[in-house]
Amino acid sequence: MASASASRGAGDDGRPLATDFTSLVVAHHAAVYRYACRLCGSPTDAEDLTQQTFLIAQQKLHQLREPERACAWLLAVVRSCFLKSVRKARPTPAQDAELNMANIADVMPEVDSIDREELAAALREIADEFRVVVLMFYFEDLSYQQIAEELEIPMGTVMSRLSRAKRHLRQRLMGHERGTPSSECRVASKPPMDRAILRTPQSALRT
Amino acid sequence: MSENPTIRELIDACRAGSTDLSLAELAALAREVERNPAVADELRRSQRLDKLVSEALHDVPVPAGLAERILAASESRNDQPEVSLPEQAEVSRGRFWIGGRRWLLAAGSLSLAVVLTVLIYQLGGGWSRPIAPDQLASDVTECINVSNATNWRTDGLPAGIALGSVVAVPRQPRWQKLPVPRSAGWSGSVTAVDLAGPGRPQAILFVVHTSARFSVPSTPTTTSHLPLTGGYKATAWQEPASNLLYVLVAKDRGQRLDVFLRKPREA
């Protein structure tokens, strides 16, 4: 595996150190897999996406100038691969509908723990363009500005998608049934579920 | 950005433990947090939930042996033997062997196709398929890699490079000539101009003289749209009437591209 583990040192011309591929895999495969798993919603697809990510990383390793940013770089590659696969599978509809959540009345009670199964299910329910934004926020720890730059969409769109996706997660975690406003929800006066962000039946079948 | 983001959107955009509240777009939220305890409380609750959600999202069991499988796949990819010429010839003879008059016919058709292709190429002024942003990003990365910290010159920009109407140029700009990357599918010349000056986060404008066409806007935009890795921000544009391609690269994610552009267009 000569080329897989080959590394470059710092050159006299000040070029940055490159990263050893084997070390890259060992150090970051778990983070890459976790992100892939949340993006795809399926362990099998996640492993395929992880493999694909590292194959691309191996080819483009020379582009990684700052080894300390290797994890962020790999997460960006995962995201890019995922988005390419989604775009190939079906056109992504624009989801910039008017907001229907104008005030702070959408409050939540104090929370000490959350149901992880419910969270995973809620995440799988939402459309790809919303899920990617919310995962970039939680996984890549990017600001809404950085998300806008990475996805090349306006900041307002990012804010809207992020807020609507987070609202969906909150509602699912606090008692709404799948995709339906629950009459038994624990928090009174909740606004209705934002159906526009839910995945279409066709897209739900894909994974 | 939307005209009037709701307070809920602003709360949801604010990351726990970050300096997001100091961003201009979240100034309204910062003011509300200062004067309205209910908003401050909601922000605190929201960020607490964010923390729990983030922890839960990261809690995914990793399959055993995944790293080994990735490395094995990488190794098998590297170890794939190249097909030797005799084997290739054998395959050709077996599946696609043609002979006698059919061979002459095929050779004649091939020659005709080559002549027609050359003719169309010359009449059409060469293939003019624009170069994709991905390829340009890769070429720019190569340019960044070969730029040398000690090669900067300050003796006035080379003839033919007038940047005053394009970008904000420092009084005594540093510049250096760079070779066109070997892997680039285009020819021309590249000049790198440091717009930030020594001791500051670098912002480099690559001025490329080339007849090749690139899939980039014709005017500068403030959105970083060139897919460079490594945390760089980059925007590129090509003036349709000239053979000049500009690529502005900011080396620090916190830098704003519009600071360097004369008349940026909001994308």
Side-chain angles (χ1 to χ4, degrees):
Chain A
M1 195 165 60
S3 63
S5 58
S7 64
R8 291 185 286 146
D12 293 336
D13 58 357
R15 284 189 198 186
L17 284 165
T19 307
D20 175 275
F21 181 70
T22 305
S23 309
L24 200 72
V25 172
V26 171
H28 301 299
H29 74 281
V32 167
Y33 174 80
R34 289 184 180 115
Y35 193 26
C37 202
R38 292 305 187 190
L39 283 167
C40 301
S42 134
T44 311
D45 289 346
E47 182 152 349
D48 288 347
L49 183 57
T50 304
Q51 292 270 9
Q52 188 187 354
T53 298
F54 278 104
L55 285 177
I56 291 172
Q58 188 182 11
Q59 290 164 2
K60 300 195 170 181
L61 199 54
H62 65 282
Q63 293 183 6
L64 177 63
R65 286 174 55 87
E66 301 170 64
E68 66 275 11
R69 289 190 42 77
C71 191
W73 179 65
L74 285 167
L75 295 185
V77 176
V78 181
R79 170 170 34 88
S80 172
C81 290
F82 172 75
L83 287 173
K84 275 182 188 166
S85 71
V86 167
R87 283 171 192 146
K88 267 185 201 166
R90 67 187 172 88
T92 304
Q95 292 280 353
D96 293 332
E98 285 294 310
L99 290 171
N100 184 23
M101 41 181 299
N103 60 53
I104 198 173
D106 178 21
V107 295
M108 57 206 161
E110 202 73 52
V111 180
D112 289 324
S113 64
I114 54 177
D115 182 334
R116 299 187 172 199
E117 291 294 319
E118 193 75 17
L119 175 66
L123 196 64
R124 282 194 298 269
E125 282 174 6
I126 60 180
D128 297 327
E129 58 268 38
F130 289 87
R131 190 164 65 257
V132 165
V133 168
V134 81
L135 288 177
M136 288 172 81
F137 181 88
Y138 284 124
F139 252 95
E140 297 188 57
D141 196 27
L142 298 180
S143 72
Y144 65 93
Q145 281 182 326
Q146 291 166 328
I147 295 170
E149 284 174 9
E150 292 287 326
L151 296 180
E152 298 178 19
I153 56 177
M155 282 194 279
T157 306
V158 171
M159 270 195 184
S160 166
R161 288 183 187 177
L162 182 59
S163 191
R164 291 164 72 181
K166 286 171 82 171
R167 179 183 179 222
H168 178 76
L169 299 184
R170 279 197 295 270
Q171 288 182 325
R172 285 281 269 127
L173 291 171
M174 291 171 199
H176 275 301
E177 291 304 316
R178 180 188 170 95
T180 312
S182 169
S183 58
E184 300 169 352
C185 58
R186 293 170 219 151
V187 181
S189 306
K190 270 191 187 168
M193 184 75 80
D194 186 356
R195 290 170 181 278
I197 77 165
L198 298 177
R199 308 178 81 188
T200 59
Q202 289 92 333
S203 67
L205 285 174
R206 193 172 49 78
T207 50
Chain B
M1 190 159 142
S2 65
E3 290 299 317
N4 293 304
T6 65
I7 197 76
R8 181 77 253 173
E9 285 178 320
L10 298 179
I11 288 173
D12 285 336
C14 188
R15 291 172 301 166
S18 71
T19 56
D20 287 352
L21 268 183
S22 63
L23 295 171
E25 290 81 5
L26 297 187
L29 176 62
R31 280 196 301 276
E32 282 300 315
V33 168
E34 280 290 314
R35 68 187 181 201
N36 187 342
V39 174
D41 205 36
E42 181 60 19
L43 178 63
R44 182 190 57 76
R45 274 200 302 268
S46 176
Q47 292 188 335
R48 176 168 169 68
L49 183 64
D50 278 346
K51 190 167 175 291
L52 291 172
V53 169
S54 179
E55 285 169 4
L57 288 176
H58 282 83
D59 184 16
V60 177
V62 178
L66 177 60
E68 289 74 17
R69 287 196 292 281
I70 295 167
L71 291 170
S74 155
E75 194 169 5
S76 69
R77 190 182 165 91
N78 290 328
D79 289 348
Q80 278 175 359
E82 288 183 17
V83 180
S84 63
L85 195 57
E87 280 172 353
Q88 250 181 346
E90 197 61 39
V91 168
S92 298
R93 195 178 176 97
R95 291 185 58 195
F96 303 111
W97 174 248
I98 50 179
R101 283 191 299 174
R102 293 176 73 189
W103 164 253
L104 286 175
L105 203 62
S109 302
L110 186 64
S111 304
L112 188 64
V114 169
V115 169
L116 283 173
T117 306
V118 170
L119 203 62
I120 292 168
Y121 179 83
Q122 287 182 340
L123 288 175
W127 310 122
S128 55
R129 181 185 292 176
I131 292 164
D134 281 353
Q135 179 59 47
L136 177 58
S138 171
D139 298 340
V140 170
T141 303
E142 284 299 308
C143 286
I144 294 170
N145 286 340
V146 299
S147 64
N148 193 316
T150 60
N151 278 358
W152 292 111
R153 297 171 57 173
T154 54
D155 52 340
L157 290 172
I161 295 187
L163 301 176
S165 62
V166 183
V167 292
V169 188
R171 188 171 295 172
Q172 200 172 24
R174 304 191 305 165
W175 64 276
Q176 59 180 285
K177 287 273 188 192
L178 299 175
V180 173
R182 282 183 188 172
S183 58
W186 46 273
S187 58
S189 67
V190 183
T191 306
V193 182
D194 180 9
L195 299 181
R200 302 172 65 183
Q202 271 196 326
I204 295 180
L205 180 72
F206 294 96
V207 184
V208 182
H209 276 275
T210 177
S211 57
R213 308 311 298 171
F214 294 80
S215 290
V216 295
S218 57
T219 54
T221 64
T222 55
T223 303
S224 175
H225 60 77
L226 214 56
L228 254 63
T229 54
Y232 295 120
K233 282 179 167 181
T235 184
W237 67 100
Q238 186 171 33
E239 294 174 346
S242 74
N243 286 336
L244 286 174
L245 167 78
Y246 298 95
V247 183
L248 175 59
V249 179
K251 289 196 170 182
D252 189 309
R253 191 177 272 279
Q255 286 174 290
R256 288 172 47 184
L257 294 172
D258 61 335
V259 170
F260 302 98
L261 298 169
R262 279 282 185 221
K263 289 178 183 173
R265 179 169 62 82
E266 288 295 338

